PDB file of all heavy atoms in Angstrom:
ATOM      1  N   VAL A  71    -187.361 138.908  43.903  1.00  0.00           N
ATOM      2  CA  VAL A  71    -188.382 139.971  44.340  1.00  0.00           C
ATOM      3  C   VAL A  71    -189.623 139.724  43.601  1.00  0.00           C
ATOM      4  O   VAL A  71    -189.692 139.261  42.286  1.00  0.00           O
ATOM      5  CB  VAL A  71    -187.846 141.389  44.130  1.00  0.00           C
ATOM      6  CG1 VAL A  71    -187.625 141.684  42.679  1.00  0.00           C
ATOM      7  CG2 VAL A  71    -188.877 142.414  44.696  1.00  0.00           C
ATOM      8  N   SER A  72    -190.832 139.923  44.202  1.00  0.00           N
ATOM      9  CA  SER A  72    -192.135 139.870  43.572  1.00  0.00           C
ATOM     10  C   SER A  72    -193.082 140.869  44.169  1.00  0.00           C
ATOM     11  O   SER A  72    -192.901 141.239  45.300  1.00  0.00           O
ATOM     12  CB  SER A  72    -192.652 138.380  43.697  1.00  0.00           C
ATOM     13  OG  SER A  72    -193.963 138.324  43.055  1.00  0.00           O
ATOM     14  N   THR A  73    -193.994 141.322  43.319  1.00  0.00           N
ATOM     15  CA  THR A  73    -195.077 142.248  43.790  1.00  0.00           C
ATOM     16  C   THR A  73    -196.387 141.819  43.311  1.00  0.00           C
ATOM     17  O   THR A  73    -196.479 141.227  42.162  1.00  0.00           O
ATOM     18  CB  THR A  73    -194.776 143.682  43.390  1.00  0.00           C
ATOM     19  OG1 THR A  73    -195.614 144.550  44.138  1.00  0.00           O
ATOM     20  CG2 THR A  73    -194.935 143.967  41.862  1.00  0.00           C
ATOM     21  N   ASP A  74    -197.475 142.063  44.043  1.00  0.00           N
ATOM     22  CA  ASP A  74    -198.739 141.644  43.659  1.00  0.00           C
ATOM     23  C   ASP A  74    -199.742 142.540  44.278  1.00  0.00           C
ATOM     24  O   ASP A  74    -199.537 143.085  45.354  1.00  0.00           O
ATOM     25  CB  ASP A  74    -198.991 140.156  44.095  1.00  0.00           C
ATOM     26  CG  ASP A  74    -199.948 139.418  43.167  1.00  0.00           C
ATOM     27  OD1 ASP A  74    -200.737 140.128  42.429  1.00  0.00           O
ATOM     28  OD2 ASP A  74    -200.017 138.154  43.280  1.00  0.00           O
ATOM     29  N   SER A  75    -200.981 142.669  43.635  1.00  0.00           N
ATOM     30  CA  SER A  75    -202.134 143.511  44.126  1.00  0.00           C
ATOM     31  C   SER A  75    -203.329 142.573  44.265  1.00  0.00           C
ATOM     32  O   SER A  75    -203.510 141.689  43.432  1.00  0.00           O
ATOM     33  CB  SER A  75    -202.369 144.634  43.241  1.00  0.00           C
ATOM     34  OG  SER A  75    -201.227 145.490  43.101  1.00  0.00           O
ATOM     35  N   PHE A  76    -204.099 142.823  45.270  1.00  0.00           N
ATOM     36  CA  PHE A  76    -205.149 141.956  45.667  1.00  0.00           C
ATOM     37  C   PHE A  76    -206.485 142.869  45.755  1.00  0.00           C
ATOM     38  O   PHE A  76    -206.503 143.770  46.498  1.00  0.00           O
ATOM     39  CB  PHE A  76    -204.935 141.155  46.982  1.00  0.00           C
ATOM     40  CG  PHE A  76    -203.706 140.307  46.902  1.00  0.00           C
ATOM     41  CD1 PHE A  76    -202.502 140.806  47.016  1.00  0.00           C
ATOM     42  CD2 PHE A  76    -203.907 138.965  46.582  1.00  0.00           C
ATOM     43  CE1 PHE A  76    -201.333 139.902  46.871  1.00  0.00           C
ATOM     44  CE2 PHE A  76    -202.825 138.123  46.263  1.00  0.00           C
ATOM     45  CZ  PHE A  76    -201.527 138.607  46.500  1.00  0.00           C
ATOM     46  N   VAL A  77    -207.528 142.399  44.947  1.00  0.00           N
ATOM     47  CA  VAL A  77    -208.690 143.101  44.852  1.00  0.00           C
ATOM     48  C   VAL A  77    -209.939 142.170  45.126  1.00  0.00           C
ATOM     49  O   VAL A  77    -210.986 142.549  44.547  1.00  0.00           O
ATOM     50  CB  VAL A  77    -208.714 143.851  43.476  1.00  0.00           C
ATOM     51  CG1 VAL A  77    -207.671 144.902  43.386  1.00  0.00           C
ATOM     52  CG2 VAL A  77    -208.730 142.857  42.403  1.00  0.00           C
ATOM     53  N   VAL A  78    -209.780 141.172  45.755  1.00  0.00           N
ATOM     54  CA  VAL A  78    -210.827 140.109  45.839  1.00  0.00           C
ATOM     55  C   VAL A  78    -212.027 140.624  46.435  1.00  0.00           C
ATOM     56  O   VAL A  78    -212.121 141.430  47.256  1.00  0.00           O
ATOM     57  CB  VAL A  78    -210.234 138.909  46.630  1.00  0.00           C
ATOM     58  CG1 VAL A  78    -210.018 139.257  48.107  1.00  0.00           C
ATOM     59  CG2 VAL A  78    -211.235 137.675  46.622  1.00  0.00           C
ATOM     60  N   ILE A  88    -208.990 138.855  52.373  1.00  0.00           N
ATOM     61  CA  ILE A  88    -208.014 139.524  51.531  1.00  0.00           C
ATOM     62  C   ILE A  88    -206.665 139.786  52.152  1.00  0.00           C
ATOM     63  O   ILE A  88    -205.543 139.811  51.567  1.00  0.00           O
ATOM     64  CB  ILE A  88    -208.575 140.887  51.036  1.00  0.00           C
ATOM     65  CG1 ILE A  88    -207.735 141.509  49.920  1.00  0.00           C
ATOM     66  CG2 ILE A  88    -208.792 141.779  52.246  1.00  0.00           C
ATOM     67  CD1 ILE A  88    -208.389 142.721  49.267  1.00  0.00           C
ATOM     68  N   GLY A  89    -206.741 139.807  53.579  1.00  0.00           N
ATOM     69  CA  GLY A  89    -205.408 139.978  54.268  1.00  0.00           C
ATOM     70  C   GLY A  89    -204.496 138.735  54.230  1.00  0.00           C
ATOM     71  O   GLY A  89    -203.343 138.921  53.799  1.00  0.00           O
ATOM     72  N   LEU A  91    -204.668 136.340  52.173  1.00  0.00           N
ATOM     73  CA  LEU A  91    -204.499 136.099  50.752  1.00  0.00           C
ATOM     74  C   LEU A  91    -203.304 136.830  50.187  1.00  0.00           C
ATOM     75  O   LEU A  91    -202.504 136.324  49.373  1.00  0.00           O
ATOM     76  CB  LEU A  91    -205.741 136.323  49.932  1.00  0.00           C
ATOM     77  CG  LEU A  91    -205.702 136.010  48.370  1.00  0.00           C
ATOM     78  CD1 LEU A  91    -205.582 134.478  48.172  1.00  0.00           C
ATOM     79  CD2 LEU A  91    -207.009 136.543  47.704  1.00  0.00           C
ATOM     80  N   ALA A  92    -203.220 138.122  50.686  1.00  0.00           N
ATOM     81  CA  ALA A  92    -202.124 138.993  50.208  1.00  0.00           C
ATOM     82  C   ALA A  92    -200.764 138.417  50.655  1.00  0.00           C
ATOM     83  O   ALA A  92    -199.814 138.598  49.832  1.00  0.00           O
ATOM     84  CB  ALA A  92    -202.371 140.360  50.680  1.00  0.00           C
ATOM     85  N   VAL A  93    -200.725 137.907  51.817  1.00  0.00           N
ATOM     86  CA  VAL A  93    -199.351 137.279  52.243  1.00  0.00           C
ATOM     87  C   VAL A  93    -199.135 136.000  51.472  1.00  0.00           C
ATOM     88  O   VAL A  93    -198.015 135.770  50.964  1.00  0.00           O
ATOM     89  CB  VAL A  93    -199.385 137.061  53.821  1.00  0.00           C
ATOM     90  CG1 VAL A  93    -198.246 136.188  54.237  1.00  0.00           C
ATOM     91  CG2 VAL A  93    -199.579 138.307  54.510  1.00  0.00           C
ATOM     92  N   HIS A  94    -200.182 135.112  51.408  1.00  0.00           N
ATOM     93  CA  HIS A  94    -199.862 133.803  50.724  1.00  0.00           C
ATOM     94  C   HIS A  94    -199.577 134.024  49.355  1.00  0.00           C
ATOM     95  O   HIS A  94    -198.564 133.311  48.863  1.00  0.00           O
ATOM     96  CB  HIS A  94    -201.124 132.904  51.003  1.00  0.00           C
ATOM     97  CG  HIS A  94    -201.488 132.611  52.394  1.00  0.00           C
ATOM     98  ND1 HIS A  94    -202.878 132.125  52.742  1.00  0.00           N
ATOM     99  CD2 HIS A  94    -200.760 132.668  53.528  1.00  0.00           C
ATOM    100  CE1 HIS A  94    -202.705 131.925  54.079  1.00  0.00           C
ATOM    101  NE2 HIS A  94    -201.616 132.255  54.556  1.00  0.00           N
ATOM    102  N   GLY A  95    -200.206 134.812  48.632  1.00  0.00           N
ATOM    103  CA  GLY A  95    -200.008 135.009  47.264  1.00  0.00           C
ATOM    104  C   GLY A  95    -198.568 135.432  46.948  1.00  0.00           C
ATOM    105  O   GLY A  95    -197.963 134.954  45.983  1.00  0.00           O
ATOM    106  N   THR A  96    -198.074 136.395  47.718  1.00  0.00           N
ATOM    107  CA  THR A  96    -196.784 136.884  47.443  1.00  0.00           C
ATOM    108  C   THR A  96    -195.698 135.876  47.843  1.00  0.00           C
ATOM    109  O   THR A  96    -194.677 135.677  47.272  1.00  0.00           O
ATOM    110  CB  THR A  96    -196.524 138.277  48.178  1.00  0.00           C
ATOM    111  OG1 THR A  96    -197.520 139.190  47.687  1.00  0.00           O
ATOM    112  CG2 THR A  96    -195.110 138.788  47.858  1.00  0.00           C
ATOM    113  N   VAL A  97    -195.889 135.218  49.062  1.00  0.00           N
ATOM    114  CA  VAL A  97    -194.944 134.225  49.531  1.00  0.00           C
ATOM    115  C   VAL A  97    -194.874 133.062  48.469  1.00  0.00           C
ATOM    116  O   VAL A  97    -193.827 132.661  48.200  1.00  0.00           O
ATOM    117  CB  VAL A  97    -195.356 133.583  50.912  1.00  0.00           C
ATOM    118  CG1 VAL A  97    -194.799 132.365  51.122  1.00  0.00           C
ATOM    119  CG2 VAL A  97    -195.151 134.645  52.061  1.00  0.00           C
ATOM    120  N   ASP A  99    -195.489 133.245  45.215  1.00  0.00           N
ATOM    121  CA  ASP A  99    -194.743 133.746  43.995  1.00  0.00           C
ATOM    122  C   ASP A  99    -193.188 133.615  44.179  1.00  0.00           C
ATOM    123  O   ASP A  99    -192.493 133.251  43.290  1.00  0.00           O
ATOM    124  CB  ASP A  99    -195.110 135.178  43.590  1.00  0.00           C
ATOM    125  CG  ASP A  99    -196.554 135.305  42.959  1.00  0.00           C
ATOM    126  OD1 ASP A  99    -197.028 134.187  42.528  1.00  0.00           O
ATOM    127  OD2 ASP A  99    -197.047 136.362  42.875  1.00  0.00           O
ATOM    128  N   ALA A 109    -188.713 139.113  53.694  1.00  0.00           N
ATOM    129  CA  ALA A 109    -189.338 140.414  53.988  1.00  0.00           C
ATOM    130  C   ALA A 109    -190.516 140.709  53.079  1.00  0.00           C
ATOM    131  O   ALA A 109    -190.527 140.350  51.928  1.00  0.00           O
ATOM    132  CB  ALA A 109    -188.219 141.519  53.881  1.00  0.00           C
ATOM    133  N   LEU A 110    -191.451 141.397  53.637  1.00  0.00           N
ATOM    134  CA  LEU A 110    -192.664 141.862  52.799  1.00  0.00           C
ATOM    135  C   LEU A 110    -192.846 143.395  53.087  1.00  0.00           C
ATOM    136  O   LEU A 110    -192.593 143.871  54.087  1.00  0.00           O
ATOM    137  CB  LEU A 110    -193.930 141.226  53.356  1.00  0.00           C
ATOM    138  CG  LEU A 110    -194.170 139.688  53.018  1.00  0.00           C
ATOM    139  CD1 LEU A 110    -195.439 139.188  53.549  1.00  0.00           C
ATOM    140  CD2 LEU A 110    -194.188 139.412  51.470  1.00  0.00           C
ATOM    141  N   SER A 111    -193.453 144.023  52.035  1.00  0.00           N
ATOM    142  CA  SER A 111    -193.984 145.381  52.191  1.00  0.00           C
ATOM    143  C   SER A 111    -195.410 145.307  51.962  1.00  0.00           C
ATOM    144  O   SER A 111    -195.905 144.397  51.223  1.00  0.00           O
ATOM    145  CB  SER A 111    -193.347 146.463  51.359  1.00  0.00           C
ATOM    146  OG  SER A 111    -193.792 146.217  49.957  1.00  0.00           O
ATOM    147  N   VAL A 112    -196.248 146.153  52.605  1.00  0.00           N
ATOM    148  CA  VAL A 112    -197.666 146.088  52.418  1.00  0.00           C
ATOM    149  C   VAL A 112    -198.237 147.525  52.206  1.00  0.00           C
ATOM    150  O   VAL A 112    -197.875 148.433  52.938  1.00  0.00           O
ATOM    151  CB  VAL A 112    -198.393 145.597  53.658  1.00  0.00           C
ATOM    152  CG1 VAL A 112    -199.955 145.646  53.516  1.00  0.00           C
ATOM    153  CG2 VAL A 112    -198.000 144.046  53.886  1.00  0.00           C
ATOM    154  N   ALA A 113    -198.938 147.814  51.123  1.00  0.00           N
ATOM    155  CA  ALA A 113    -199.543 149.049  50.815  1.00  0.00           C
ATOM    156  C   ALA A 113    -201.003 148.809  50.688  1.00  0.00           C
ATOM    157  O   ALA A 113    -201.527 147.889  49.960  1.00  0.00           O
ATOM    158  CB  ALA A 113    -198.961 149.601  49.532  1.00  0.00           C
ATOM    159  N   LEU A 114    -201.715 149.804  51.348  1.00  0.00           N
ATOM    160  CA  LEU A 114    -203.207 149.750  51.400  1.00  0.00           C
ATOM    161  C   LEU A 114    -203.860 150.841  50.645  1.00  0.00           C
ATOM    162  O   LEU A 114    -203.347 152.008  50.816  1.00  0.00           O
ATOM    163  CB  LEU A 114    -203.667 149.776  52.862  1.00  0.00           C
ATOM    164  CG  LEU A 114    -203.096 148.765  53.916  1.00  0.00           C
ATOM    165  CD1 LEU A 114    -203.556 149.127  55.353  1.00  0.00           C
ATOM    166  CD2 LEU A 114    -203.351 147.426  53.527  1.00  0.00           C
ATOM    167  N   ILE A 115    -204.858 150.619  49.845  1.00  0.00           N
ATOM    168  CA  ILE A 115    -205.728 151.649  49.266  1.00  0.00           C
ATOM    169  C   ILE A 115    -207.094 151.475  49.897  1.00  0.00           C
ATOM    170  O   ILE A 115    -207.746 150.411  49.543  1.00  0.00           O
ATOM    171  CB  ILE A 115    -205.709 151.525  47.733  1.00  0.00           C
ATOM    172  CG1 ILE A 115    -204.297 151.866  47.194  1.00  0.00           C
ATOM    173  CG2 ILE A 115    -206.758 152.591  47.191  1.00  0.00           C
ATOM    174  CD1 ILE A 115    -204.202 151.732  45.684  1.00  0.00           C
ATOM    175  N   VAL A 116    -207.586 152.337  50.715  1.00  0.00           N
ATOM    176  CA  VAL A 116    -208.749 152.149  51.541  1.00  0.00           C
ATOM    177  C   VAL A 116    -209.773 153.151  51.007  1.00  0.00           C
ATOM    178  O   VAL A 116    -209.452 154.411  50.851  1.00  0.00           O
ATOM    179  CB  VAL A 116    -208.436 152.321  53.011  1.00  0.00           C
ATOM    180  CG1 VAL A 116    -209.735 152.047  53.821  1.00  0.00           C
ATOM    181  CG2 VAL A 116    -207.288 151.414  53.445  1.00  0.00           C
ATOM    182  N   VAL A 128    -209.090 142.626  58.651  1.00  0.00           N
ATOM    183  CA  VAL A 128    -208.169 142.340  57.448  1.00  0.00           C
ATOM    184  C   VAL A 128    -206.717 142.321  57.976  1.00  0.00           C
ATOM    185  O   VAL A 128    -205.911 141.601  57.683  1.00  0.00           O
ATOM    186  CB  VAL A 128    -208.407 143.411  56.360  1.00  0.00           C
ATOM    187  CG1 VAL A 128    -207.300 143.259  55.321  1.00  0.00           C
ATOM    188  CG2 VAL A 128    -209.823 143.042  55.656  1.00  0.00           C
ATOM    189  N   LEU A 129    -206.423 143.552  58.656  1.00  0.00           N
ATOM    190  CA  LEU A 129    -204.982 143.680  59.005  1.00  0.00           C
ATOM    191  C   LEU A 129    -204.575 142.614  60.081  1.00  0.00           C
ATOM    192  O   LEU A 129    -203.421 142.212  60.033  1.00  0.00           O
ATOM    193  CB  LEU A 129    -204.685 145.069  59.559  1.00  0.00           C
ATOM    194  CG  LEU A 129    -204.899 146.202  58.503  1.00  0.00           C
ATOM    195  CD1 LEU A 129    -204.747 147.574  59.147  1.00  0.00           C
ATOM    196  CD2 LEU A 129    -203.928 145.911  57.353  1.00  0.00           C
ATOM    197  N   LEU A 132    -203.846 139.609  58.144  1.00  0.00           N
ATOM    198  CA  LEU A 132    -202.564 139.743  57.338  1.00  0.00           C
ATOM    199  C   LEU A 132    -201.383 139.550  58.224  1.00  0.00           C
ATOM    200  O   LEU A 132    -200.459 138.826  57.866  1.00  0.00           O
ATOM    201  CB  LEU A 132    -202.620 141.088  56.770  1.00  0.00           C
ATOM    202  CG  LEU A 132    -201.459 141.449  55.711  1.00  0.00           C
ATOM    203  CD1 LEU A 132    -201.939 142.416  54.733  1.00  0.00           C
ATOM    204  CD2 LEU A 132    -200.125 141.832  56.328  1.00  0.00           C
ATOM    205  N   VAL A 143    -193.198 141.859  58.058  1.00  0.00           N
ATOM    206  CA  VAL A 143    -193.606 143.089  57.291  1.00  0.00           C
ATOM    207  C   VAL A 143    -192.683 144.220  57.714  1.00  0.00           C
ATOM    208  O   VAL A 143    -192.903 144.675  58.890  1.00  0.00           O
ATOM    209  CB  VAL A 143    -195.106 143.304  57.497  1.00  0.00           C
ATOM    210  CG1 VAL A 143    -195.447 144.545  56.614  1.00  0.00           C
ATOM    211  CG2 VAL A 143    -195.890 142.129  57.086  1.00  0.00           C
ATOM    212  N   ILE A 144    -191.967 144.707  56.813  1.00  0.00           N
ATOM    213  CA  ILE A 144    -190.935 145.720  57.226  1.00  0.00           C
ATOM    214  C   ILE A 144    -191.206 147.073  56.812  1.00  0.00           C
ATOM    215  O   ILE A 144    -190.564 148.045  57.277  1.00  0.00           O
ATOM    216  CB  ILE A 144    -189.467 145.343  56.795  1.00  0.00           C
ATOM    217  CG1 ILE A 144    -189.460 145.255  55.248  1.00  0.00           C
ATOM    218  CG2 ILE A 144    -189.116 143.973  57.381  1.00  0.00           C
ATOM    219  CD1 ILE A 144    -187.996 145.132  54.695  1.00  0.00           C
ATOM    220  N   THR A 145    -192.132 147.340  55.897  1.00  0.00           N
ATOM    221  CA  THR A 145    -192.446 148.598  55.388  1.00  0.00           C
ATOM    222  C   THR A 145    -193.803 148.584  54.756  1.00  0.00           C
ATOM    223  O   THR A 145    -194.329 147.614  54.454  1.00  0.00           O
ATOM    224  CB  THR A 145    -191.422 149.280  54.506  1.00  0.00           C
ATOM    225  OG1 THR A 145    -191.626 150.607  54.221  1.00  0.00           O
ATOM    226  CG2 THR A 145    -191.419 148.516  53.128  1.00  0.00           C
ATOM    227  N   GLY A 146    -194.370 149.844  54.460  1.00  0.00           N
ATOM    228  CA  GLY A 146    -195.675 149.876  53.855  1.00  0.00           C
ATOM    229  C   GLY A 146    -196.187 151.238  53.615  1.00  0.00           C
ATOM    230  O   GLY A 146    -195.393 152.256  53.880  1.00  0.00           O
ATOM    231  N   ASP A 147    -197.403 151.445  53.239  1.00  0.00           N
ATOM    232  CA  ASP A 147    -198.033 152.742  52.842  1.00  0.00           C
ATOM    233  C   ASP A 147    -199.548 152.512  53.062  1.00  0.00           C
ATOM    234  O   ASP A 147    -200.051 151.539  52.822  1.00  0.00           O
ATOM    235  CB  ASP A 147    -197.560 153.176  51.489  1.00  0.00           C
ATOM    236  CG  ASP A 147    -198.124 154.523  51.169  1.00  0.00           C
ATOM    237  OD1 ASP A 147    -197.908 155.400  51.957  1.00  0.00           O
ATOM    238  OD2 ASP A 147    -198.729 154.782  50.152  1.00  0.00           O
ATOM    239  N   THR A 148    -200.143 153.748  53.283  1.00  0.00           N
ATOM    240  CA  THR A 148    -201.751 153.664  53.312  1.00  0.00           C
ATOM    241  C   THR A 148    -202.269 154.915  52.693  1.00  0.00           C
ATOM    242  O   THR A 148    -201.695 156.003  52.954  1.00  0.00           O
ATOM    243  CB  THR A 148    -202.150 153.699  54.836  1.00  0.00           C
ATOM    244  OG1 THR A 148    -201.649 152.574  55.577  1.00  0.00           O
ATOM    245  CG2 THR A 148    -203.659 153.658  54.876  1.00  0.00           C
ATOM    246  N   LYS A 149    -203.117 154.683  51.735  1.00  0.00           N
ATOM    247  CA  LYS A 149    -203.798 155.838  51.078  1.00  0.00           C
ATOM    248  C   LYS A 149    -205.316 155.627  51.226  1.00  0.00           C
ATOM    249  O   LYS A 149    -205.882 154.491  51.311  1.00  0.00           O
ATOM    250  CB  LYS A 149    -203.438 155.753  49.586  1.00  0.00           C
ATOM    251  CG  LYS A 149    -201.966 156.195  49.286  1.00  0.00           C
ATOM    252  CD  LYS A 149    -201.683 157.612  49.600  1.00  0.00           C
ATOM    253  CE  LYS A 149    -200.340 157.909  49.133  1.00  0.00           C
ATOM    254  NZ  LYS A 149    -199.164 157.151  49.638  1.00  0.00           N
ATOM    255  N   ILE A 159    -211.284 147.938  49.947  1.00  0.00           N
ATOM    256  CA  ILE A 159    -209.808 147.953  50.258  1.00  0.00           C
ATOM    257  C   ILE A 159    -209.064 147.146  49.264  1.00  0.00           C
ATOM    258  O   ILE A 159    -209.585 146.084  48.917  1.00  0.00           O
ATOM    259  CB  ILE A 159    -209.469 147.403  51.677  1.00  0.00           C
ATOM    260  CG1 ILE A 159    -207.954 147.514  52.048  1.00  0.00           C
ATOM    261  CG2 ILE A 159    -209.972 146.002  51.820  1.00  0.00           C
ATOM    262  CD1 ILE A 159    -207.665 147.233  53.321  1.00  0.00           C
ATOM    263  N   PHE A 160    -207.952 147.677  48.661  1.00  0.00           N
ATOM    264  CA  PHE A 160    -207.122 146.932  47.778  1.00  0.00           C
ATOM    265  C   PHE A 160    -205.752 146.934  48.515  1.00  0.00           C
ATOM    266  O   PHE A 160    -205.380 147.836  49.237  1.00  0.00           O
ATOM    267  CB  PHE A 160    -206.959 147.700  46.461  1.00  0.00           C
ATOM    268  CG  PHE A 160    -208.178 147.838  45.633  1.00  0.00           C
ATOM    269  CD1 PHE A 160    -208.361 148.908  44.776  1.00  0.00           C
ATOM    270  CD2 PHE A 160    -209.241 147.008  45.811  1.00  0.00           C
ATOM    271  CE1 PHE A 160    -209.427 149.039  43.958  1.00  0.00           C
ATOM    272  CE2 PHE A 160    -210.434 147.106  45.076  1.00  0.00           C
ATOM    273  CZ  PHE A 160    -210.497 148.084  44.132  1.00  0.00           C
ATOM    274  N   ILE A 161    -205.028 145.823  48.381  1.00  0.00           N
ATOM    275  CA  ILE A 161    -203.804 145.535  49.089  1.00  0.00           C
ATOM    276  C   ILE A 161    -202.771 145.307  48.044  1.00  0.00           C
ATOM    277  O   ILE A 161    -202.887 144.346  47.073  1.00  0.00           O
ATOM    278  CB  ILE A 161    -203.867 144.455  50.110  1.00  0.00           C
ATOM    279  CG1 ILE A 161    -204.953 144.726  51.144  1.00  0.00           C
ATOM    280  CG2 ILE A 161    -202.549 144.253  50.746  1.00  0.00           C
ATOM    281  CD1 ILE A 161    -205.064 143.686  52.144  1.00  0.00           C
ATOM    282  N   ASN A 162    -201.582 145.920  48.021  1.00  0.00           N
ATOM    283  CA  ASN A 162    -200.372 145.530  47.336  1.00  0.00           C
ATOM    284  C   ASN A 162    -199.350 145.048  48.244  1.00  0.00           C
ATOM    285  O   ASN A 162    -199.054 145.682  49.313  1.00  0.00           O
ATOM    286  CB  ASN A 162    -199.818 146.747  46.584  1.00  0.00           C
ATOM    287  CG  ASN A 162    -198.557 146.411  45.830  1.00  0.00           C
ATOM    288  OD1 ASN A 162    -197.505 146.575  46.383  1.00  0.00           O
ATOM    289  ND2 ASN A 162    -198.641 145.900  44.589  1.00  0.00           N
ATOM    290  N   THR A 163    -198.777 143.977  47.900  1.00  0.00           N
ATOM    291  CA  THR A 163    -197.663 143.338  48.713  1.00  0.00           C
ATOM    292  C   THR A 163    -196.483 143.099  47.847  1.00  0.00           C
ATOM    293  O   THR A 163    -196.622 142.613  46.670  1.00  0.00           O
ATOM    294  CB  THR A 163    -198.044 142.060  49.409  1.00  0.00           C
ATOM    295  OG1 THR A 163    -198.747 141.199  48.419  1.00  0.00           O
ATOM    296  CG2 THR A 163    -198.978 142.280  50.610  1.00  0.00           C
ATOM    297  N   THR A 164    -195.354 143.479  48.311  1.00  0.00           N
ATOM    298  CA  THR A 164    -194.001 143.122  47.594  1.00  0.00           C
ATOM    299  C   THR A 164    -193.211 142.264  48.578  1.00  0.00           C
ATOM    300  O   THR A 164    -193.167 142.554  49.764  1.00  0.00           O
ATOM    301  CB  THR A 164    -193.240 144.488  47.315  1.00  0.00           C
ATOM    302  OG1 THR A 164    -194.001 145.163  46.278  1.00  0.00           O
ATOM    303  CG2 THR A 164    -191.905 144.106  46.620  1.00  0.00           C
ATOM    304  N   GLY A 165    -192.619 141.238  47.961  1.00  0.00           N
ATOM    305  CA  GLY A 165    -191.793 140.384  48.782  1.00  0.00           C
ATOM    306  C   GLY A 165    -190.413 140.196  48.294  1.00  0.00           C
ATOM    307  O   GLY A 165    -190.197 140.202  47.066  1.00  0.00           O
ATOM    308  N   CYS A 356    -208.795 137.307  43.244  1.00  0.00           N
ATOM    309  CA  CYS A 356    -207.672 137.397  44.050  1.00  0.00           C
ATOM    310  C   CYS A 356    -207.163 138.858  44.179  1.00  0.00           C
ATOM    311  O   CYS A 356    -207.887 139.785  43.653  1.00  0.00           O
ATOM    312  CB  CYS A 356    -206.532 136.499  43.594  1.00  0.00           C
ATOM    313  SG  CYS A 356    -205.875 136.939  41.903  1.00  0.00           S
TER     314      CYS A 356
END
Side-chain angles (χ1 to χ4, degrees):
V71 64
S72 181
T73 191
D74 208 344
S75 297
F76 297 85
V77 298
V78 64
I88 193 172
L91 183 64
V93 172
H94 297 162
T96 302
V97 165
D99 283 346
L110 290 178
S111 76
V112 174
L114 309 175
I115 299 177
V116 184
V128 167
L129 292 177
L132 189 153
V143 178
I144 62 170
T145 189
D147 183 47
T148 302
K149 294 292 189 297
I159 183 172
F160 298 153
I161 301 178
N162 173 270
T163 47
T164 296
C356 64

